[in-house]
């Protein structure tokens, strides 16, 4: 049976990179487990007057490079192991981007789609009251993720500020601009991925104007990626999906029509004039670029050999399993790892935090130009490590391994400097 526990996957990815780079054994031991795990059970009053007890988590994986950083997911099948994996990946993401944060993640087991706005507000505030002692602008800074929004961040920031008795915009990022959010944060995850895609296309010789693209997922990341891929590069998006199903048209799909379809029918799969497809079919469709932008474990040992795309741009966290990683590598598919591709979100979160701390706000152009600079550098740093290993050490390693080597090395050096080993 293929390993699908995200935390075991995260540990194995670390082990593999640690082996390649010959990481100090003690540093390796420290990096295999989260430094702090908080589980809370808290009451929320539902609209029918009853109380429901929700379980939430906040994991601080490593803070050697700075306060914890990472989103909060509201997901019905959230588990502590998923949150631990995502917190580990945030550690590598912040380190690779070279921003002064450690890694963290939070989650609440709930079905946000079935809750009213008032219930969601009470849930968000309840979660913050429960984990309030463990977060803060200099401790651990949450942000949005799967099924959490800028509005939810605003409620959480408000609740935290009440808890500590003063305004504390920098406790959380991804807020609406009215309450300290940064220009450009709303689509920064997708925008960062576009800068990576631009450079990857140069390297692989893909003409983005003529490229056919499929996107799995229509949430915070996938929706904006759809808009940007067409606007910036003129590529044709032939397939898109959400949790209900997908739609395919060889002639390409239209963004405005897609938004309307989602709004009026609840799913992009009801797009008129195109064929209904499953999420599995989407992954295997005849395209140049595949953008998994939904959740973990989508490209596995079972379907990796059926992927026709030349480039996989991991916009979701953890969409490719260990077995799939090997298969894609052998098949010479350029698989760009999540903690590089989707780091635009946390990079602009960092800008938001800096702006909150200064109380001085930047224009959109400045945000995008700084994001472009950081993420383009991460891409080339990563490619360079891959090339160096191949030429001087005669080791053929994946782009994921290269990114891990850079990220791990920085965290290990910070732990060493602090005297942790
Ligand atoms: N949830 C996003 C991620 O996985 C953003 C995290 C953040 O901004 O802290 O990268």
């Amino acid at each position: 049976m293929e390993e699908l526990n995200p935390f075991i996957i995260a540990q194995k990815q670390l082990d593999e990179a640690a082996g390649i780079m010959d990481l100090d054994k003690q540093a390796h031991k420290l990096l295999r487990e989260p430094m702090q795990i908080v589980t809370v059970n808290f009451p929320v009053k539902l609209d029918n007057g009853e109380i429901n007890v929700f379980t939430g988590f906040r994991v601080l994986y490593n803070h050697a490079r700075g306060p914890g950083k990472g989103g909060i997911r509201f997901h019905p099948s959230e588990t502590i192991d998923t949150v631990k994996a995502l917190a580990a990946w945030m550690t590598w993401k912040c380190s690779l981007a070279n921003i002064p944060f450690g890694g963290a993640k939070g989650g609440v087991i709930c079905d946000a789609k079935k809750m009213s706005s008032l219930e969601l507000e009470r849930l968000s505030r309840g979660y913050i009251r429960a984990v309030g002692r463990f977060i803060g602008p200099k401790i651990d800074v949450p942000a949005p993720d799967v099924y959490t929004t800028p509005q939810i961040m605003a409620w959480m920031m408000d609740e935290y500020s009440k808890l500590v008795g003063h305004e504390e915009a920098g406790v959380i990022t991804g807020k609406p601009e009215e309450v300290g959010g940064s220009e450009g944060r709303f689509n920064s995850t997708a925008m960062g991925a576009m800068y990576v895609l631009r450079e990857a296309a140069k390297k692989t010789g893909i003409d983005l104007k003529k490229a056919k693209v499929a996107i799995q997922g229509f949430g915070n990341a996938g929706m904006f990626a759809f808009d940007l891929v067409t606007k910036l590069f003129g590529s044709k998006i032939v397939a898109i999906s959400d949790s209900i199903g997908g739609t395919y048209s060889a002639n390409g799909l239209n963004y405005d029509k897609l938004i309307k379809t989602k709004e009026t029918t609840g799913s992009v799969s009801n797009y008129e004039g195109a064929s209904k497809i499953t999420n599995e079919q989407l992954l295997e469709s005849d395209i140049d670029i595949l953008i998994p932008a939904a959740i973990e474990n989508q490209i596995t040992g079972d379907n990796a050999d059926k992927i026709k795309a030349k480039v996989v741009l991991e916009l979701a966290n953890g969409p490719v399993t260990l077995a799939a990683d090997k298969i894609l590598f052998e098949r010479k598919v350029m698989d760009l790892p999540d903690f590089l591709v989707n780091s635009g979100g946390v990079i602009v979160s960092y800008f938001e935090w800096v702006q909150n701390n200064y109380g001085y706000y930047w224009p959109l152009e400045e945000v995008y130009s700084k994001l472009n600079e950081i993420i383009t550098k991460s891409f080339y740093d990563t490619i360079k490590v891959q090339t160096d290993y191949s030429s001087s050490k005669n080791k053929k390693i994946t782009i994921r391994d290269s990114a891990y080597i850079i990220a791990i090395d920085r965290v290990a050096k910070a732990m060493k400097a602090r005297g942790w080993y």
Side-chain angles (χ1 to χ4, degrees):
M1 263 294 271
E2 183 171 8
E3 182 57 71
L4 293 180
N5 177 326
F7 187 57
I8 309 262
I9 294 180
Q11 281 186 319
K12 290 207 164 146
Q13 288 170 339
L14 165 72
D15 295 345
E16 181 170 305
I20 299 169
M21 70 196 283
D22 205 11
L23 179 67
D24 180 283
K25 295 268 173 305
Q26 299 178 81
H28 187 181
K29 221 189 292 175
L30 266 162
L31 291 173
R32 283 193 102 245
E33 295 292 338
M35 300 183 74
Q36 177 179 283
I37 299 175
V38 176
T39 303
V40 290
N41 293 301
F42 58 100
V44 176
K45 197 176 261 174
L46 303 180
D47 291 346
N48 66 9
E50 275 177 34
I51 290 287
N52 215 353
V53 178
F54 288 88
T55 300
F57 310 106
R58 186 72 192 170
V59 172
L60 177 58
Y61 198 84
N62 187 288
H63 59 88
R65 289 176 39 85
K69 187 84 195 82
I72 300 167
R73 312 198 321 164
F74 283 178
H75 202 276
S77 46
E78 192 62 287
T79 67
I80 187 61
D81 275 3
T82 312
V83 181
K84 278 159 68 177
L86 289 158
W89 290 329
M90 282 310 304
T91 309
W92 314 131
K93 199 181 296 189
C94 294
S95 177
L96 180 68
N98 214 356
I99 56 177
F101 287 121
K105 202 83 181 192
V108 178
I109 308 171
C110 66
D111 196 346
K113 282 196 279 190
K114 294 202 180 119
M115 296 174 73
S116 73
S117 171
L118 278 172
E119 287 173 338
L120 276 178
E121 177 173 353
R122 291 193 289 265
L123 177 82
S124 305
R125 291 185 186 275
Y127 175 73
I128 290 301
R129 284 195 298 277
V131 301
R133 276 172 297 149
F134 302 98
I135 60 170
K138 290 185 180 157
I139 304 170
D140 179 359
V141 186
D145 203 280
V146 173
Y147 294 130
T148 50
T149 59
Q151 173 62 74
I152 290 176
M153 299 304 110
W155 289 326
M156 290 183 166
M157 178 279 282
D158 184 68
E159 194 62 29
Y160 185 82
S161 296
K162 284 180 184 156
L163 216 57
V164 294
H166 59 259
E167 288 310 320
E168 200 58 275
V171 67
I172 203 159
T173 59
K175 302 178 293 294
E177 284 165 37
E178 296 76 19
V179 286
S182 175
E183 292 264 11
R185 177 61 182 88
F186 72 103
N187 71 357
S188 54
T189 306
M191 189 56 124
M194 294 303 113
Y195 296 135
V196 174
L197 179 58
R198 179 193 63 202
E199 299 310 316
K202 282 185 205 160
K203 276 218 76 76
T204 47
I206 292 180
D207 180 355
L208 287 175
K209 246 197 167 97
K210 294 192 190 131
K212 283 186 287 176
V213 181
I215 303 177
Q216 186 199 36
F218 202 61
N220 290 341
M223 187 174 90
F224 293 117
F226 190 111
D227 190 33
L228 291 172
V229 171
T230 34
K231 270 196 193 134
L232 298 178
F233 307 127
S235 318
K236 194 186 281 178
I237 315 240
V238 295
I240 181 105
S241 65
D242 54 30
S243 58
I244 295 169
T247 181
Y248 175 89
S249 166
N251 298 326
L253 301 159
N254 174 278
Y255 182 69
D256 294 331
K257 190 168 159 188
L258 207 58
I259 296 277
K260 241 205 170 104
T261 308
K262 178 87 182 172
E263 268 170 19
T264 51
T265 72
S267 171
V268 293
S269 60
N270 299 317
Y271 190 95
E272 264 176 49
S275 335
K276 270 196 196 304
I277 53 168
T278 62
N279 264 294
E280 294 73 39
Q281 286 169 322
L282 176 136
L283 298 172
E284 297 165 17
S285 50
D286 188 11
I287 42 167
D288 304 293
I289 296 153
L290 174 62
I291 310 185
I295 49 169
E296 322 76 63
N297 295 338
Q298 298 303 300
I299 305 176
T300 66
D302 290 334
N303 62 4
D305 58 342
K306 301 189 193 98
I307 302 290
K308 298 190 188 73
K310 298 175 200 73
V311 173
V312 175
L313 192 70
E314 296 182 20
L315 195 50
N317 286 313
V320 174
T321 64
L322 296 166
D325 210 17
K326 301 268 167 305
I327 299 170
L328 295 177
F329 185 59
E330 276 158 24
R331 293 186 52 221
K332 300 199 168 40
V333 175
M334 185 187 226
D335 178 21
L336 295 154
D338 47 6
F339 67 98
L340 165 65
V341 171
N342 69 29
S343 61
V346 75
I347 292 170
V348 178
S349 271
Y350 164 54
F351 299 159
E352 181 172 331
W353 178 81
V354 169
Q355 292 170 84
N356 292 153
N357 291 341
Y358 270 85
Y360 175 71
Y361 289 83
W362 315 341
L364 183 64
E365 305 74 58
E366 192 169 341
V367 170
Y368 283 156
S369 122
K370 286 189 160 80
L371 167 62
N372 186 9
E373 202 177 302
I374 293 181
I375 207 161
T376 304
K377 182 170 184 320
S378 296
F379 174 82
Y380 283 105
D381 285 352
T382 305
I383 297 294
K384 184 173 183 309
V385 168
Q386 191 190 35
T387 320
D388 287 353
Y389 267 85
S390 164
S391 58
S392 60
K393 302 193 173 114
N394 207 17
K395 277 189 194 168
K396 296 259 177 282
I397 65 171
T398 62
I399 304 180
R400 189 184 322 276
D401 281 333
S402 321
Y404 259 105
I405 289 168
I406 297 170
I408 293 169
D409 183 56
R410 288 187 184 141
V411 180
K413 281 189 176 132
M415 295 196 305
K416 181 89 188 158
R418 281 174 183 263
W420 289 0
Y421 75 95

